[in-house]
Amino acid sequence: MTDYIPVVIEVLSNPLNLLLLVASLIAGIIVGALPGLTVTMALALLLPFTFSLPADTSLIAMGGLYIGGMFGGCISAILINTPGTPSAIATTFDGYPMARSGKPHHAIVTAVLASGIGGIIGALALLFLTPLLSSLSLAFGPPEYFWVAMLGLSMIATLSSGSMLKGLIGGCLGLLLGTIGIAPIGGESRFTFGLAPLVAGLELTVVLIAFFCIPEVLRIVENRITGERIAYRKEKGVVAQMWNRLIRRPFLLLRSSVIGVIVGIIPGAGGNVASIISYDAAVKFSKDKKAFGKGSYEGVAASESANNAEVGGSLVPLLSLGIPGAPPAAIMMGALMIHGITPGPGLFTSQAGLVYTFLWAFLLANVLLIVLGLYLSGPIGRIINIRMDVLIPVIIFLSTIGAFAIRNNFTDVVMMVIIGLAAYLLSRLGFHPAPIVLGLILGPIAEVGLTQSILIGQAKDHVFAFFFTRPVSVVLMVLCALSIAVPLADKWLRSRRGSGQRQGKEEAE
Protein backbone atom coordinates (compact mmCIF):
# COMPACT_ATOMS: atom_id res chain seq x y z
CA MET A 1 0.00 0.00 0.00
CA THR A 2 2.85 2.42 0.78
CA ASP A 3 4.09 2.11 -2.82
CA TYR A 4 1.01 4.00 -4.01
CA ILE A 5 1.16 6.91 -1.53
CA PRO A 6 2.68 9.35 -4.11
CA VAL A 7 -0.11 8.53 -6.55
CA VAL A 8 -2.75 9.00 -3.84
CA ILE A 9 -1.30 12.37 -2.79
CA GLU A 10 -1.13 13.55 -6.39
CA VAL A 11 -4.77 12.69 -7.10
CA LEU A 12 -6.16 14.05 -3.81
CA SER A 13 -4.23 17.30 -4.14
CA ASN A 14 -5.91 17.98 -7.48
CA PRO A 15 -8.18 21.04 -6.95
CA LEU A 16 -10.89 19.55 -9.18
CA ASN A 17 -11.04 16.36 -7.12
CA LEU A 18 -11.20 18.27 -3.84
CA LEU A 19 -13.90 20.59 -5.22
CA LEU A 20 -15.98 17.66 -6.45
CA LEU A 21 -15.54 15.86 -3.12
CA VAL A 22 -16.85 18.85 -1.12
CA ALA A 23 -19.64 19.57 -3.63
CA SER A 24 -20.79 15.95 -3.68
CA LEU A 25 -20.80 15.83 0.13
CA ILE A 26 -23.01 18.93 0.31
CA ALA A 27 -25.29 17.61 -2.46
CA GLY A 28 -25.56 14.27 -0.67
CA ILE A 29 -26.52 15.96 2.60
CA ILE A 30 -29.27 17.91 0.82
CA VAL A 31 -30.59 14.83 -0.99
CA GLY A 32 -30.51 12.73 2.17
CA ALA A 33 -32.40 15.39 4.11
CA LEU A 34 -35.31 15.43 1.66
CA PRO A 35 -37.74 12.57 2.40
CA GLY A 36 -38.26 10.36 -0.63
CA LEU A 37 -35.02 11.27 -2.43
CA THR A 38 -32.76 8.28 -1.88
CA VAL A 39 -28.99 8.02 -2.12
CA THR A 40 -29.40 5.37 -4.81
CA MET A 41 -31.50 7.76 -6.90
CA ALA A 42 -28.93 10.54 -6.50
CA LEU A 43 -26.05 8.26 -7.52
CA ALA A 44 -28.03 7.05 -10.54
CA LEU A 45 -28.59 10.67 -11.61
CA LEU A 46 -24.91 11.49 -11.10
CA LEU A 47 -23.70 8.45 -13.06
CA PRO A 48 -24.13 9.90 -16.60
CA PHE A 49 -22.12 13.00 -15.62
CA THR A 50 -19.13 10.83 -14.68
CA PHE A 51 -18.70 9.29 -18.14
CA SER A 52 -16.30 12.00 -19.31
CA LEU A 53 -14.40 12.17 -16.02
CA PRO A 54 -11.36 10.06 -15.09
CA ALA A 55 -12.17 6.92 -13.14
CA ASP A 56 -10.60 8.16 -9.90
CA THR A 57 -12.46 11.49 -10.07
CA SER A 58 -15.75 9.68 -10.75
CA LEU A 59 -15.32 7.40 -7.75
CA ILE A 60 -14.37 10.32 -5.48
CA ALA A 61 -17.51 12.24 -6.46
CA MET A 62 -19.78 9.21 -6.06
CA GLY A 63 -18.21 8.27 -2.74
CA GLY A 64 -18.78 11.79 -1.40
CA LEU A 65 -22.41 11.72 -2.51
CA TYR A 66 -22.91 8.32 -0.87
CA ILE A 67 -21.42 9.46 2.46
CA GLY A 68 -23.25 12.80 2.50
CA GLY A 69 -26.58 11.21 1.62
CA MET A 70 -26.29 8.63 4.38
CA PHE A 71 -25.69 11.38 6.93
CA GLY A 72 -28.31 13.76 5.52
CA GLY A 73 -31.13 11.39 6.39
CA CYS A 74 -30.72 12.22 10.07
CA ILE A 75 -31.56 15.90 9.51
CA SER A 76 -35.24 15.40 8.66
CA ALA A 77 -35.38 12.50 11.12
CA ILE A 78 -34.40 14.88 13.94
CA LEU A 79 -36.27 17.98 12.83
CA ILE A 80 -39.57 16.72 11.40
CA ASN A 81 -39.64 13.09 12.60
CA THR A 82 -39.38 11.80 9.02
CA PRO A 83 -36.26 9.78 8.13
CA GLY A 84 -34.77 11.22 4.95
CA THR A 85 -33.34 7.78 4.19
CA PRO A 86 -34.40 4.35 5.49
CA SER A 87 -31.10 4.18 7.38
CA ALA A 88 -32.23 7.00 9.66
CA ILE A 89 -35.27 5.16 11.02
CA ALA A 90 -33.71 4.54 14.43
CA THR A 91 -32.53 8.17 14.60
CA THR A 92 -36.15 9.32 14.89
CA PHE A 93 -36.60 7.35 18.12
CA ASP A 94 -34.52 9.82 20.15
CA GLY A 95 -33.50 12.56 17.73
CA TYR A 96 -36.98 14.04 17.34
CA PRO A 97 -37.74 13.93 21.10
CA MET A 98 -34.46 15.79 21.66
CA ALA A 99 -35.50 18.47 19.16
CA ARG A 100 -38.95 18.85 20.71
CA SER A 101 -37.45 19.15 24.17
CA GLY A 102 -35.52 22.23 23.05
CA LYS A 103 -32.25 20.54 22.09
CA PRO A 104 -32.24 20.30 18.28
CA HIS A 105 -28.70 21.68 18.19
CA HIS A 106 -27.54 19.01 20.64
CA ALA A 107 -29.20 16.30 18.54
CA ILE A 108 -27.68 17.49 15.26
CA VAL A 109 -24.20 17.90 16.76
CA THR A 110 -24.44 14.40 18.24
CA ALA A 111 -25.50 13.02 14.85
CA VAL A 112 -22.67 14.87 13.06
CA LEU A 113 -19.96 13.66 15.43
CA ALA A 114 -21.28 10.09 15.57
CA SER A 115 -21.69 9.95 11.78
CA GLY A 116 -18.17 11.21 11.20
CA ILE A 117 -16.62 8.83 13.74
CA GLY A 118 -18.64 5.88 12.45
CA GLY A 119 -17.73 6.75 8.87
CA ILE A 120 -14.04 7.03 9.74
CA ILE A 121 -14.09 3.62 11.45
CA GLY A 122 -15.90 2.18 8.44
CA ALA A 123 -13.31 3.74 6.12
CA LEU A 124 -10.43 2.34 8.17
CA ALA A 125 -12.04 -1.09 8.08
CA LEU A 126 -12.44 -0.75 4.32
CA LEU A 127 -8.82 0.32 3.97
CA PHE A 128 -7.07 -2.22 6.19
CA LEU A 129 -9.46 -5.13 6.71
CA THR A 130 -11.00 -5.64 3.27
CA PRO A 131 -9.52 -9.12 2.61
CA LEU A 132 -10.46 -10.34 6.11
CA LEU A 133 -13.99 -8.91 6.15
CA SER A 134 -14.80 -9.98 2.62
CA SER A 135 -14.39 -13.64 3.60
CA LEU A 136 -17.15 -13.21 6.17
CA SER A 137 -19.69 -12.33 3.48
CA LEU A 138 -18.99 -15.67 1.78
CA ALA A 139 -20.20 -17.49 4.92
CA PHE A 140 -23.71 -16.04 4.55
CA GLY A 141 -26.23 -18.20 2.74
CA PRO A 142 -30.04 -18.39 2.90
CA PRO A 143 -30.12 -19.80 6.49
CA GLU A 144 -27.92 -16.98 7.75
CA TYR A 145 -30.12 -14.36 6.09
CA PHE A 146 -33.14 -15.94 7.76
CA TRP A 147 -31.52 -15.85 11.19
CA VAL A 148 -30.32 -12.25 10.66
CA ALA A 149 -33.95 -11.32 9.99
CA MET A 150 -35.04 -13.26 13.08
CA LEU A 151 -32.41 -11.41 15.12
CA GLY A 152 -33.89 -8.13 13.94
CA LEU A 153 -37.46 -9.24 14.68
CA SER A 154 -36.42 -10.35 18.16
CA MET A 155 -35.62 -6.71 18.88
CA ILE A 156 -39.30 -5.85 18.90
CA ALA A 157 -39.07 -6.52 22.63
CA THR A 158 -36.69 -3.57 22.91
CA LEU A 159 -38.45 -1.25 20.46
CA SER A 160 -41.92 -1.78 21.95
CA SER A 161 -42.86 1.27 23.96
CA GLY A 162 -44.98 0.35 26.94
CA SER A 163 -46.87 -2.76 25.85
CA MET A 164 -44.99 -5.83 24.67
CA LEU A 165 -48.24 -7.24 23.24
CA LYS A 166 -48.83 -4.15 21.10
CA GLY A 167 -45.24 -4.33 19.92
CA LEU A 168 -45.68 -7.94 18.81
CA ILE A 169 -48.98 -7.11 17.08
CA GLY A 170 -47.25 -4.21 15.32
CA GLY A 171 -44.43 -6.48 14.18
CA CYS A 172 -46.94 -8.99 12.79
CA LEU A 173 -48.72 -6.15 10.98
CA GLY A 174 -45.41 -5.14 9.41
CA LEU A 175 -44.78 -8.73 8.32
CA LEU A 176 -48.23 -8.76 6.72
CA LEU A 177 -47.53 -5.53 4.83
CA GLY A 178 -44.29 -7.06 3.59
CA THR A 179 -46.19 -9.88 1.85
CA ILE A 180 -48.05 -7.52 -0.50
CA GLY A 181 -47.03 -8.06 -4.12
CA ILE A 182 -45.42 -10.89 -6.03
CA ALA A 183 -43.97 -13.67 -3.89
CA PRO A 184 -40.15 -13.67 -4.22
CA ILE A 185 -40.13 -17.46 -4.54
CA GLY A 186 -42.93 -18.93 -6.63
CA GLY A 187 -44.26 -15.73 -8.17
CA GLU A 188 -47.78 -15.79 -6.71
CA SER A 189 -49.66 -12.49 -6.49
CA ARG A 190 -50.64 -11.71 -2.90
CA PHE A 191 -52.96 -9.07 -1.42
CA THR A 192 -52.91 -6.88 -4.56
CA PHE A 193 -56.74 -6.73 -4.81
CA GLY A 194 -56.46 -6.53 -8.58
CA LEU A 195 -54.42 -3.29 -8.46
CA ALA A 196 -51.47 -3.44 -10.85
CA PRO A 197 -49.34 -0.90 -8.90
CA LEU A 198 -49.41 -3.17 -5.83
CA VAL A 199 -47.85 -6.04 -7.77
CA ALA A 200 -44.42 -4.57 -7.05
CA GLY A 201 -45.28 -4.37 -3.33
CA LEU A 202 -45.16 -1.39 -0.99
CA GLU A 203 -42.26 0.99 -1.48
CA LEU A 204 -40.36 1.23 1.80
CA THR A 205 -39.78 4.99 1.60
CA VAL A 206 -43.50 5.60 1.03
CA VAL A 207 -44.32 3.57 4.12
CA LEU A 208 -41.68 5.44 6.15
CA ILE A 209 -43.18 8.79 5.17
CA ALA A 210 -46.66 7.48 5.98
CA PHE A 211 -45.73 6.16 9.43
CA PHE A 212 -43.36 8.87 10.63
CA CYS A 213 -44.58 12.03 8.92
CA ILE A 214 -48.36 11.94 8.33
CA PRO A 215 -49.29 11.08 11.97
CA GLU A 216 -47.12 13.93 13.25
CA VAL A 217 -48.74 16.42 10.88
CA LEU A 218 -52.21 15.25 11.93
CA ARG A 219 -51.22 15.50 15.60
CA ILE A 220 -50.15 19.11 15.12
CA VAL A 221 -53.36 19.97 13.28
CA GLU A 222 -55.49 18.15 15.85
CA ASN A 223 -53.94 20.02 18.76
CA ARG A 224 -54.12 23.33 16.88
CA ILE A 225 -50.54 24.23 17.63
CA THR A 226 -49.98 25.87 14.25
CA GLY A 227 -48.09 28.72 15.86
CA GLU A 228 -45.64 26.46 17.65
CA ARG A 229 -41.97 26.97 17.03
CA ILE A 230 -39.15 24.60 17.79
CA ALA A 231 -36.83 26.77 19.83
CA TYR A 232 -33.46 26.54 18.14
CA ARG A 233 -30.28 28.46 18.63
CA LYS A 234 -26.62 27.62 18.22
CA GLU A 235 -25.44 27.54 21.77
CA LYS A 236 -21.84 28.00 22.68
CA GLY A 237 -20.07 24.95 24.00
CA VAL A 238 -22.52 22.38 22.60
CA VAL A 239 -19.93 20.80 20.31
CA ALA A 240 -17.45 20.43 23.18
CA GLN A 241 -20.20 19.20 25.50
CA MET A 242 -21.45 16.48 23.15
CA TRP A 243 -17.90 15.53 22.18
CA ASN A 244 -16.99 15.01 25.84
CA ARG A 245 -20.11 12.91 26.34
CA LEU A 246 -19.30 10.72 23.36
CA ILE A 247 -15.64 10.17 24.16
CA ARG A 248 -16.65 9.13 27.67
CA ARG A 249 -18.66 6.36 25.99
CA PRO A 250 -16.04 5.00 23.54
CA PHE A 251 -17.55 1.51 23.54
CA LEU A 252 -20.90 2.95 22.40
CA LEU A 253 -19.39 4.36 19.20
CA LEU A 254 -16.97 1.48 18.68
CA ARG A 255 -19.68 -1.17 19.17
CA SER A 256 -22.13 0.65 16.92
CA SER A 257 -19.53 1.19 14.20
CA VAL A 258 -18.43 -2.45 14.27
CA ILE A 259 -22.07 -3.52 13.96
CA GLY A 260 -22.44 -1.16 10.99
CA VAL A 261 -19.35 -2.55 9.25
CA ILE A 262 -20.37 -6.17 9.78
CA VAL A 263 -23.95 -5.59 8.63
CA GLY A 264 -22.63 -3.60 5.66
CA ILE A 265 -20.54 -6.46 4.31
CA ILE A 266 -23.60 -8.71 4.29
CA PRO A 267 -25.05 -8.07 0.82
CA GLY A 268 -28.60 -6.74 0.98
CA ALA A 269 -28.81 -6.05 4.71
CA GLY A 270 -28.46 -2.26 4.49
CA GLY A 271 -28.06 0.67 6.83
CA ASN A 272 -31.60 0.39 8.20
CA VAL A 273 -30.85 -3.03 9.64
CA ALA A 274 -27.48 -1.79 10.96
CA SER A 275 -28.99 1.22 12.74
CA ILE A 276 -31.79 -0.80 14.35
CA ILE A 277 -29.45 -3.56 15.56
CA SER A 278 -27.06 -0.92 16.91
CA TYR A 279 -29.88 0.95 18.65
CA ASP A 280 -31.05 -2.28 20.26
CA ALA A 281 -27.52 -3.01 21.49
CA ALA A 282 -27.24 0.52 22.90
CA VAL A 283 -30.44 0.04 24.89
CA LYS A 284 -29.31 -3.32 26.24
CA PHE A 285 -25.89 -2.06 27.38
CA SER A 286 -27.05 1.31 28.71
CA LYS A 287 -27.36 2.00 32.42
CA ASP A 288 -30.26 4.38 31.75
CA LYS A 289 -32.64 2.34 29.60
CA LYS A 290 -35.64 4.48 30.49
CA ALA A 291 -34.11 7.51 28.73
CA PHE A 292 -34.33 5.86 25.33
CA GLY A 293 -37.26 7.03 23.25
CA LYS A 294 -37.43 10.26 25.24
CA GLY A 295 -34.39 12.06 23.81
CA SER A 296 -31.28 10.03 24.64
CA TYR A 297 -28.11 11.16 22.92
CA GLU A 298 -26.92 7.55 23.12
CA GLY A 299 -29.76 6.46 20.82
CA VAL A 300 -28.88 9.12 18.23
CA ALA A 301 -25.17 8.27 18.39
CA ALA A 302 -25.76 4.52 18.10
CA SER A 303 -27.98 4.85 15.05
CA GLU A 304 -25.86 7.38 13.18
CA SER A 305 -22.46 5.80 13.83
CA ALA A 306 -23.80 2.43 12.65
CA ASN A 307 -25.47 3.55 9.43
CA ASN A 308 -22.44 5.62 8.39
CA ALA A 309 -20.02 2.80 9.20
CA GLU A 310 -22.27 0.57 7.07
CA VAL A 311 -21.25 2.62 4.01
CA GLY A 312 -17.66 1.43 4.28
CA GLY A 313 -18.79 -2.11 5.02
CA SER A 314 -21.05 -2.22 1.95
CA LEU A 315 -18.06 -1.46 -0.29
CA VAL A 316 -15.96 -4.33 1.08
CA PRO A 317 -17.66 -7.12 -0.91
CA LEU A 318 -17.84 -4.81 -3.95
CA LEU A 319 -14.09 -4.19 -4.11
CA SER A 320 -13.00 -7.65 -2.97
CA LEU A 321 -15.59 -9.95 -4.55
CA GLY A 322 -17.43 -7.86 -7.11
CA ILE A 323 -20.63 -8.20 -5.08
CA PRO A 324 -22.33 -4.89 -4.13
CA GLY A 325 -23.35 -4.90 -0.48
CA ALA A 326 -26.11 -2.29 -0.95
CA PRO A 327 -28.03 -0.64 -3.82
CA PRO A 328 -25.80 2.48 -3.83
CA ALA A 329 -22.78 0.18 -4.07
CA ALA A 330 -24.38 -1.42 -7.14
CA ILE A 331 -24.49 2.01 -8.83
CA MET A 332 -20.81 2.50 -8.02
CA MET A 333 -20.09 -0.92 -9.50
CA GLY A 334 -21.75 0.27 -12.71
CA ALA A 335 -19.51 3.35 -12.70
CA LEU A 336 -16.41 1.16 -12.41
CA MET A 337 -17.51 -1.11 -15.25
CA ILE A 338 -18.30 1.88 -17.48
CA HIS A 339 -14.66 2.89 -17.11
CA GLY A 340 -13.56 -0.63 -18.04
CA ILE A 341 -12.74 -1.71 -14.48
CA THR A 342 -14.13 -5.01 -13.21
CA PRO A 343 -14.50 -5.21 -9.41
CA GLY A 344 -13.36 -8.42 -7.81
CA PRO A 345 -10.38 -10.25 -6.37
CA GLY A 346 -8.02 -8.98 -9.08
CA LEU A 347 -8.86 -5.33 -8.56
CA PHE A 348 -6.16 -4.74 -5.95
CA THR A 349 -3.61 -6.17 -8.39
CA SER A 350 -4.67 -4.59 -11.66
CA GLN A 351 -5.90 -1.21 -10.36
CA ALA A 352 -4.19 -0.84 -6.99
CA GLY A 353 -3.43 2.86 -7.43
CA LEU A 354 -7.06 3.64 -8.25
CA VAL A 355 -8.38 1.56 -5.33
CA TYR A 356 -6.11 3.11 -2.70
CA THR A 357 -6.83 6.60 -4.05
CA PHE A 358 -10.54 5.97 -3.60
CA LEU A 359 -10.07 4.46 -0.13
CA TRP A 360 -8.05 7.43 1.15
CA ALA A 361 -10.53 9.85 -0.45
CA PHE A 362 -13.29 7.95 1.32
CA LEU A 363 -11.51 8.48 4.64
CA LEU A 364 -10.97 12.18 3.87
CA ALA A 365 -14.65 12.58 2.98
CA ASN A 366 -15.72 11.36 6.41
CA VAL A 367 -13.38 13.86 8.08
CA LEU A 368 -14.80 16.66 5.93
CA LEU A 369 -18.30 15.48 6.81
CA ILE A 370 -17.76 16.49 10.43
CA VAL A 371 -16.62 19.97 9.40
CA LEU A 372 -19.45 20.50 6.90
CA GLY A 373 -22.06 19.04 9.22
CA LEU A 374 -21.11 21.35 12.06
CA TYR A 375 -20.91 24.35 9.75
CA LEU A 376 -24.32 23.64 8.18
CA SER A 377 -26.04 23.16 11.52
CA GLY A 378 -26.72 26.92 11.64
CA PRO A 379 -28.66 27.08 8.36
CA ILE A 380 -30.43 23.86 9.30
CA GLY A 381 -31.50 25.46 12.56
CA ARG A 382 -32.95 28.47 10.73
CA ILE A 383 -34.95 26.15 8.50
CA ILE A 384 -36.84 24.67 11.43
CA ASN A 385 -37.30 27.98 13.24
CA ILE A 386 -40.47 28.75 11.28
CA ARG A 387 -44.11 28.67 12.23
CA MET A 388 -45.80 25.30 12.07
CA ASP A 389 -48.59 26.67 9.88
CA VAL A 390 -45.86 27.39 7.33
CA LEU A 391 -43.86 24.23 7.93
CA ILE A 392 -46.81 21.82 7.67
CA PRO A 393 -47.63 22.61 4.01
CA VAL A 394 -43.93 22.30 3.19
CA ILE A 395 -43.76 18.89 4.88
CA ILE A 396 -46.88 17.71 3.06
CA PHE A 397 -45.52 18.99 -0.26
CA LEU A 398 -42.14 17.28 0.20
CA SER A 399 -43.82 14.07 1.35
CA THR A 400 -46.08 14.01 -1.69
CA ILE A 401 -43.25 14.77 -4.12
CA GLY A 402 -41.03 12.20 -2.41
CA ALA A 403 -43.67 9.47 -2.53
CA PHE A 404 -44.39 10.15 -6.22
CA ALA A 405 -40.79 10.57 -7.39
CA ILE A 406 -39.59 7.15 -6.25
CA ARG A 407 -41.50 5.24 -8.95
CA ASN A 408 -43.30 8.08 -10.76
CA ASN A 409 -46.50 6.43 -9.62
CA PHE A 410 -49.49 8.35 -8.26
CA THR A 411 -50.71 5.18 -6.54
CA ASP A 412 -47.78 5.53 -4.13
CA VAL A 413 -49.15 8.92 -3.08
CA VAL A 414 -52.58 7.37 -2.48
CA MET A 415 -50.99 4.54 -0.48
CA MET A 416 -49.03 7.10 1.55
CA VAL A 417 -52.25 8.86 2.53
CA ILE A 418 -54.12 5.62 3.34
CA ILE A 419 -51.25 4.12 5.33
CA GLY A 420 -50.61 7.47 7.01
CA LEU A 421 -54.21 7.69 8.24
CA ALA A 422 -54.01 4.10 9.47
CA ALA A 423 -50.69 4.91 11.20
CA TYR A 424 -52.31 7.87 12.93
CA LEU A 425 -55.14 5.70 14.23
CA LEU A 426 -52.64 3.08 15.40
CA SER A 427 -50.63 5.75 17.23
CA ARG A 428 -53.80 6.88 19.00
CA LEU A 429 -54.27 3.27 20.12
CA GLY A 430 -50.75 3.15 21.56
CA PHE A 431 -48.92 1.34 18.75
CA HIS A 432 -45.37 2.53 18.11
CA PRO A 433 -44.36 2.65 14.42
CA ALA A 434 -40.91 1.11 14.96
CA PRO A 435 -42.02 -2.56 15.31
CA ILE A 436 -44.32 -2.21 12.29
CA VAL A 437 -41.58 -0.78 10.08
CA LEU A 438 -39.12 -3.37 11.40
CA GLY A 439 -41.50 -6.17 10.38
CA LEU A 440 -41.91 -4.65 6.92
CA ILE A 441 -38.15 -4.40 6.37
CA LEU A 442 -37.18 -7.82 7.69
CA GLY A 443 -40.22 -9.82 6.56
CA PRO A 444 -39.13 -10.24 2.92
CA ILE A 445 -35.55 -11.04 3.99
CA ALA A 446 -36.82 -13.76 6.33
CA GLU A 447 -39.23 -15.14 3.72
CA VAL A 448 -36.60 -15.46 1.01
CA GLY A 449 -34.07 -16.98 3.42
CA LEU A 450 -36.60 -19.45 4.81
CA THR A 451 -37.92 -20.57 1.43
CA GLN A 452 -34.51 -20.94 -0.17
CA SER A 453 -33.17 -22.81 2.87
CA ILE A 454 -36.06 -25.27 2.77
CA LEU A 455 -35.56 -25.89 -0.96
CA ILE A 456 -31.80 -26.38 -0.61
CA GLY A 457 -32.24 -28.51 2.51
CA GLN A 458 -34.77 -30.76 0.74
CA ALA A 459 -32.33 -31.19 -2.13
CA LYS A 460 -29.70 -32.30 0.37
CA ASP A 461 -32.19 -34.44 2.34
CA HIS A 462 -31.51 -32.69 5.66
CA VAL A 463 -33.51 -29.50 6.07
CA PHE A 464 -33.09 -29.45 9.85
CA ALA A 465 -29.30 -29.78 9.72
CA PHE A 466 -29.07 -27.09 7.02
CA PHE A 467 -30.93 -24.65 9.28
CA PHE A 468 -29.44 -25.39 12.69
CA THR A 469 -25.90 -26.72 12.32
CA ARG A 470 -24.06 -24.15 10.23
CA PRO A 471 -21.58 -22.23 12.46
CA VAL A 472 -22.77 -18.71 11.61
CA SER A 473 -26.40 -19.81 12.01
CA VAL A 474 -25.64 -21.15 15.49
CA VAL A 475 -24.07 -17.82 16.51
CA LEU A 476 -27.07 -15.91 15.18
CA MET A 477 -29.49 -18.24 17.00
CA VAL A 478 -27.67 -17.61 20.27
CA LEU A 479 -27.88 -13.86 19.66
CA CYS A 480 -31.61 -14.20 18.95
CA ALA A 481 -32.12 -16.01 22.23
CA LEU A 482 -30.14 -13.38 24.12
CA SER A 483 -32.02 -10.57 22.41
CA ILE A 484 -35.31 -12.01 23.67
CA ALA A 485 -34.08 -13.13 27.08
CA VAL A 486 -32.25 -9.97 28.17
CA PRO A 487 -35.28 -7.59 28.09
CA LEU A 488 -37.48 -10.20 29.79
CA ALA A 489 -34.88 -10.85 32.48
CA ASP A 490 -34.37 -7.13 33.00
CA LYS A 491 -38.13 -6.61 33.36
CA TRP A 492 -38.37 -9.52 35.81
CA LEU A 493 -35.48 -8.19 37.92
CA ARG A 494 -37.03 -4.71 38.02
CA SER A 495 -40.36 -6.16 39.12
CA ARG A 496 -38.62 -8.23 41.83
CA ARG A 497 -36.69 -5.18 42.98
CA GLY A 498 -39.87 -3.09 43.03
CA SER A 499 -41.82 -5.73 44.99
CA GLY A 500 -38.93 -6.03 47.45
CA GLN A 501 -38.91 -2.29 48.02
CA ARG A 502 -42.67 -2.25 48.56
CA GLN A 503 -42.41 -5.14 51.01
CA GLY A 504 -39.64 -3.34 52.89
CA LYS A 505 -41.79 -0.21 53.22
CA GLU A 506 -44.72 -2.27 54.49
CA GLU A 507 -42.55 -3.97 57.11
CA ALA A 508 -41.14 -0.60 58.20
CA GLU A 509 -44.64 0.77 58.64
Side-chain angles (χ1 to χ4, degrees):
M1 182 176 65
T2 55
D3 297 338
Y4 301 99
I5 289 180
V7 177
V8 172
I9 294 175
E10 179 182 357
V11 174
L12 293 183
S13 61
N14 187 324
L16 175 61
N17 291 339
L18 290 175
L19 178 63
L20 284 176
L21 181 60
V22 174
S24 61
L25 274 169
I26 296 174
I29 293 172
I30 295 172
V31 169
L34 297 175
L37 301 184
T38 64
V39 179
T40 306
M41 180 191 303
L43 286 171
L45 292 174
L46 177 64
L47 184 60
F49 296 97
T50 64
F51 293 167
S52 59
L53 297 175
D56 48 16
T57 303
S58 301
L59 285 177
I60 288 172
M62 298 190 79
L65 189 65
Y66 191 1
I67 293 168
M70 192 62 69
F71 161 74
C74 75
I75 297 174
S76 53
I78 291 171
L79 305 183
I80 61 174
N81 199 32
T82 303
T85 61
S87 300
I89 294 173
T91 307
T92 62
F93 300 164
D94 285 288
Y96 185 63
M98 283 185 73
R100 290 200 63 201
S101 66
K103 295 183 177 180
H105 190 206
H106 293 72
I108 290 178
V109 168
T110 301
V112 170
L113 296 176
S115 296
I117 293 172
I120 290 171
I121 292 175
L124 291 174
L126 180 64
L127 183 61
F128 295 108
L129 303 178
T130 296
L132 176 64
L133 294 177
S134 62
S135 62
L136 180 61
S137 63
L138 294 176
F140 274 77
E144 286 73 26
Y145 281 108
F146 171 76
W147 287 114
V148 165
M150 289 297 101
L151 176 61
L153 291 173
S154 69
M155 295 170 190
I156 289 176
T158 302
L159 300 179
S160 301
S161 58
S163 172
M164 177 82 69
L165 178 61
K166 288 182 178 179
L168 294 174
I169 293 174
C172 291
L173 179 59
L175 291 173
L176 182 62
L177 292 175
T179 61
I180 295 175
I182 297 295
I185 307 293
E188 301 89 356
S189 180
R190 306 177 300 191
F191 304 113
T192 59
F193 305 102
L195 299 175
L198 289 180
V199 171
L202 296 177
E203 171 60 41
L204 176 60
T205 305
V206 173
V207 177
L208 291 179
I209 293 173
F211 268 100
F212 288 97
C213 184
I214 303 300
E216 187 62 27
V217 169
L218 293 176
R219 182 194 67 81
I220 294 172
V221 173
E222 178 188 30
N223 295 330
R224 298 183 179 181
I225 50 178
T226 54
E228 177 187 11
R229 291 170 180 257
I230 299 178
Y232 182 93
R233 60 182 181 276
K234 278 188 83 172
E235 303 174 18
K236 292 184 178 179
V238 170
V239 175
Q241 176 187 350
M242 301 316 298
W243 171 255
N244 289 332
R245 284 190 178 185
L246 291 174
I247 62 174
R248 283 201 296 265
R249 298 295 310 279
F251 291 108
L252 170 67
L253 294 177
L254 181 61
R255 180 182 62 244
S256 302
S257 300
V258 170
I259 290 173
V261 171
I262 294 175
V263 172
I265 67 174
I266 303 172
N272 44 18
V273 177
S275 62
I276 291 174
I277 292 177
S278 176
Y279 184 88
D280 174 79
V283 176
K284 285 184 170 62
F285 286 97
S286 176
K287 297 179 180 178
D288 188 13
K289 296 179 174 58
K290 293 183 179 180
F292 285 83
K294 300 176 183 178
S296 170
Y297 78 95
E298 294 181 34
V300 176
S303 172
E304 285 304 305
S305 55
N307 62 35
N308 282 270
E310 184 269 343
V311 176
S314 69
L315 296 175
V316 169
L318 171 65
L319 297 178
S320 298
L321 305 173
I323 302 171
I331 304 295
M332 297 186 69
M333 179 178 180
L336 283 170
M337 298 186 73
I338 286 172
H339 286 88
I341 301 169
T342 303
L347 186 62
F348 281 83
T349 302
S350 61
Q351 298 286 343
L354 172 67
V355 173
Y356 285 117
T357 297
F358 170 69
L359 296 182
W360 281 106
F362 192 86
L363 179 61
L364 176 62
N366 281 285
V367 176
L368 291 175
L369 177 66
I370 299 177
V371 179
L372 290 173
L374 293 175
Y375 177 77
L376 294 175
S377 64
I380 291 169
R382 288 192 289 271
I383 291 174
I384 64 167
N385 193 23
I386 61 177
R387 291 170 57 89
M388 282 296 177
D389 52 359
V390 177
L391 184 60
I392 287 175
V394 175
I395 294 174
I396 294 175
F397 174 76
L398 290 176
S399 299
T400 304
I401 294 299
F404 177 79
I406 296 168
R407 298 191 291 195
N408 292 328
N409 192 336
F410 186 74
T411 305
D412 284 338
V413 178
V414 176
M415 294 305 300
M416 178 194 71
V417 174
I418 294 174
I419 296 175
L421 293 174
Y424 172 71
L425 294 175
L426 288 171
S427 67
R428 292 292 300 272
L429 295 173
F431 287 89
H432 196 276
I436 302 175
V437 173
L438 186 63
L440 175 64
I441 294 171
L442 297 177
I445 299 176
E447 181 183 7
V448 172
L450 176 64
T451 308
Q452 290 180 343
S453 298
I454 291 175
L455 293 175
I456 297 174
Q458 288 176 341
K460 294 184 176 182
D461 295 327
H462 48 76
V463 176
F464 183 86
F466 191 65
F467 258 112
F468 298 100
T469 60
R470 291 162 65 97
V472 178
S473 294
V474 172
V475 173
L476 291 171
M477 283 188 286
V478 172
L479 292 176
C480 286
L482 291 174
S483 181
I484 295 172
V486 169
L488 294 177
D490 182 66
K491 185 177 180 180
W492 179 75
L493 288 173
R494 285 204 307 264
S495 63
R496 284 288 302 272
R497 194 179 300 117
S499 62
Q501 291 175 351
R502 287 193 300 269
Q503 184 177 357
K505 289 182 179 178
E506 292 174 357
E507 292 177 354
E509 293 175 353

